Amino acid sequence: MKGLAICLSAVLIIGAGILTFRQESGLQSVSLIAKVDGVPIEYREYQLILQDLRSTTPPEKLKELALKSLTAIKVEQAWAKEKGLIGDLSYSSELKRWKQENERRNQAVRQKKPIYGPIQYDERGFYEYELSNLRIRLKEAVSKQDYKISDDVLKTRYEAIKEQQFKKPDTIQLWKVAIPDQDGKGKARMKQAGDKLAQGEDFKQIAQSYAIDGKGWELSIHANNQKQISETAPILFEEALKLPAGQQSPVFEENGTLFIVKCAARTQGGYEPFEQVKRQVSSFYVEEKYKEEVDRRTQAAITEIVQANLDKVEIT
């Protein structure tokens, strides 16, 4: 089948005469679909991944993408085995562990012992649970054994990501021309206000003159109220974030009110100190190195496709 080279690994097609699992009438749970560096992909596991991808993937791409996903998973599992974190990598073995885990949970319920998570895992739930836990343990292992995470390394990474990850919000002093438009007369009044501003009249005075009872024309956005304002007045909040000090927004409407806002002052929030976010930086660093290594191993992996069995997999 053309197109199943997956681009990320060498692919060998195993001839039908070599196969043990070959039945004209269909496939068994343990029927071999492929091997990734010798680690088997069994039919039942392949079907599980196909089902996960079905809602987001065109039918003609399903088989290819499922193989691509499983190639990366098998690479991670093989890496975990190198670290002594897991033994048998077959899906048949995972199904046994699924049964054992559900039996353990049943027994805990009968004995009125606390359990975490569901009382019983379905097959997909256990697959995701076990894979997630394996990744956590593998990252912990490689962070201790393989990655030299010194303070100098972390400080360098902190400087590279602090703008995106650790920047504190600025404090923004905002002036607002706010005109209700429930009666349909707001647009005319806002045009009048806009004309005055265009003629150079003082923004603060205009904002005060249109304020109800002279109140509510000024707003300070800071770390303590930013979340609340972003939820109650998201458009105003987004407009405020765009404005440098001294600049004003175009007219916009929110919650039945027309606005022009001006950033009267803006104070930089700075960054979270390195010592306070050191553990987060370490987590980011490990995550990046882990992904790089999985990508490298996946690129180098040899995927052997059992073509006769793969052709029997039906996409409906």
Side-chain angles (χ1 to χ4, degrees), residues 68-83:
K68 185 175 180 180
S69 297
L70 277 165
T71 296
I73 289 171
K74 294 306 167 186
V75 161
E76 288 180 281
Q77 291 174 336
W79 190 12
K81 187 173 183 178
E82 288 176 22
K83 297 296 180 183

Side-chain angles (χ1 to χ4, degrees), residues 243-247 262-266:
L243 296 174
Q247 296 298 309
K262 180 176 181 177
C263 178
R266 188 170 192 135

Side-chain angles (χ1 to χ4, degrees), residues 301-313:
I302 296 176
T303 300
E304 304 170 79
I305 298 174
V306 183
Q307 192 68 55
N309 283 349
L310 184 63
D311 288 344
K312 293 177 183 176
V313 178

Side-chain angles (χ1 to χ4, degrees), residues 270-310:
Y271 304 94
E272 298 287 346
F274 170 73
E275 290 299 331
Q276 290 184 14
V277 297
K278 183 176 175 180
R279 291 183 64 181
Q280 288 175 262
V281 177
S282 179
S283 294
F284 286 134
Y285 179 81
V286 170
E287 194 68 39
E288 290 170 3
K289 301 297 283 186
Y290 180 89
K291 184 178 183 304
E292 288 174 5
E293 181 62 13
V294 170
D295 288 346
R296 185 193 70 76
R297 288 171 178 254
T298 302
Q299 291 284 347
I302 296 176
T303 300
E304 304 170 79
I305 298 174
V306 183
Q307 192 68 55
N309 283 349
L310 184 63

Side-chain angles (χ1 to χ4, degrees), residues 62-197:
L62 262 177
K63 287 187 178 182
E64 179 182 352
L65 190 55
L67 277 175
K68 185 175 180 180
S69 297
L70 277 165
T71 296
I73 289 171
K74 294 306 167 186
V75 161
E76 288 180 281
Q77 291 174 336
W79 190 12
K81 187 173 183 178
E82 288 176 22
K83 297 296 180 183
L85 302 177
I86 192 171
D88 190 344
L89 297 182
S90 70
Y91 194 61
S92 302
S93 177
E94 176 151 345
L95 292 175
K96 291 178 183 177
R97 293 193 296 273
W98 171 39
K99 181 180 178 181
Q100 291 167 356
E101 177 63 19
N102 278 343
E103 288 174 350
R104 184 190 71 80
R105 287 171 177 267
N106 267 333
Q107 184 176 4
V109 170
R110 287 194 298 269
Q111 296 175 353
K112 298 183 178 180
K113 293 181 179 179
I115 60 172
Y116 301 96
I119 294 174
Q120 293 282 279
Y121 279 107
D122 62 15
E123 183 174 350
R124 177 176 285 102
F126 183 76
Y127 187 85
E128 293 171 351
Y129 163 78
E130 186 165 81
L131 184 57
S132 175
N133 281 346
L134 187 66
R135 284 168 173 159
I136 291 169
R137 291 162 55 213
L138 181 54
K139 288 171 188 176
E140 288 176 351
V142 297
S143 68
K144 294 175 182 177
Q145 299 170 20
D146 300 344
Y147 304 149
K148 295 179 180 179
I149 311 178
S150 65
D151 273 9
D152 287 343
V153 168
L154 292 182
K155 285 177 181 177
T156 299
R157 194 71 201 113
Y158 167 78
E159 291 297 328
I161 65 175
K162 68 179 184 181
E163 188 70 28
Q164 294 76 33
Q165 298 294 340
F166 304 119
K167 191 177 187 307
K168 295 180 180 180
D170 294 348
T171 296
I172 303 171
Q173 194 67 26
L174 209 63
W175 294 340
K176 302 182 295 176
V177 177
I179 301 176
D181 191 37
Q182 287 89 347
D183 59 2
K185 298 179 181 179
K187 291 181 176 60
R189 296 185 68 209
M190 180 56 80
K191 183 181 184 308
Q192 183 183 53
D195 290 343
K196 290 178 181 180
L197 291 172

